[in-house]
Amino acid sequence: MSLRTILTEPNKILRKVSEPVKKVGEEERRLMDDMLETMYAAPGIGLAAIQIGIPKRIIVLDISKGENKKEPMYFVNPVIKNKNSKKATYEEGCLSVPDQFAEIERPNSCEVEYLDYEGNKKLLKASGLLATCIQHEMDHLEGILFIDYLSKLKKSMIIKKLSKNKSNRIVV
Ligand code: ZN
């Protein structure tokens, strides 16, 4: 496994629409392993492949709060089948939008069809935090970031702040 670099906004690659995966093989599993390691190291609870610059429809998640027990979840080619009309609001952040948080409203439960780590077809009924995380990560596959749901003014303020941080960044 190896750590990958997480891309941050503003970056055009994050706006790409990711391509479906043809089959889940060794290459895809290696990528999922790297994504998981990168996510844990960040630390974060979800990561989409496009966040490390790979436009494939792959997501990893671990919303377990156990410090010793890890509960990784892998989603390849996820498709949302059903969304609840009831909404839930969480204060969301994103590894690609560092240090920025905003309350985002999304359906509070959903059903998602996907291929797992082994390439088996699965259907998951998700609610609460898991439903929000899946929807946040699936937005990445469409090139959408959570800041896109904010007002134009708020969004441009965040992007301006992030751009400024980038120009001040040095590596020595
Ligand atoms: Zn994100």
Side-chain angles (χ1 to χ4, degrees):
M1 285 199 272
S2 55
L3 283 180
R4 310 282 193 106
T5 304
I6 297 175
L7 306 178
T8 57
E9 175 79 348
N11 186 318
K12 283 199 182 104
I13 294 169
L14 290 170
R15 299 312 190 161
K16 273 191 177 177
V17 176
S18 296
E19 295 287 333
V21 173
K22 289 198 183 76
K23 73 170 187 54
V24 183
E26 280 312 306
E27 193 188 321
E28 286 72 28
R29 277 189 276 274
R30 211 166 22 240
L31 171 62
M32 287 190 263
D33 291 344
D34 283 359
M35 285 169 64
L36 199 71
E37 193 187 358
T38 304
M39 180 192 84
Y40 284 138
I45 58 173
L47 192 74
I50 193 66
Q51 292 180 272
I52 56 167
I54 309 217
K56 288 186 177 177
R57 301 185 82 83
I58 298 180
I59 288 166
V60 296
L61 284 179
D62 187 343
I63 60 159
S64 70
K65 296 211 175 86
E67 280 168 23
N68 304 316
K69 204 165 149 265
K70 288 180 173 154
E71 288 170 27
M73 302 176 86
Y74 308 90
F75 299 85
V76 179
N77 297 342
V79 178
I80 288 186
K81 289 291 178 186
N82 260 312
K83 281 184 185 178
N84 197 329
S85 55
K86 277 191 189 155
K87 308 281 187 201
T89 302
Y90 281 90
E91 191 175 22
E92 294 187 23
C94 178
L95 294 175
S96 295
V97 189
D99 303 323
Q100 305 301 316
F101 299 90
E103 288 197 334
I104 306 293
E105 190 184 79
R106 300 181 189 270
N108 78 346
S109 67
C110 61
E111 278 182 14
V112 54
E113 200 176 80
Y114 62 100
L115 301 176
D116 68 8
Y117 191 79
E118 307 297 334
N120 298 317
K121 203 170 181 178
K122 291 275 172 75
L123 182 71
L124 176 77
K125 285 182 184 175
S127 60
L129 177 63
L130 180 59
T132 289
C133 287
I134 288 173
Q135 291 173 72
H136 174 117
E137 297 309 328
M138 283 185 65
D139 275 355
H140 279 299
L141 307 183
E142 307 302 330
I144 298 167
L145 299 174
F146 79 92
I147 52 172
D148 298 347
Y149 296 110
L150 304 176
S151 68
K152 260 189 186 165
L153 180 67
K154 210 164 174 196
K155 181 180 166 184
S156 69
M157 272 167 61
I158 288 177
I159 291 176
K160 211 168 142 189
K161 211 186 280 178
L162 292 171
S163 309
K164 205 171 153 198
N165 288 345
K166 267 190 181 171
S167 63
N168 286 343
R169 195 172 293 157
I170 56 162
V171 180
V172 287

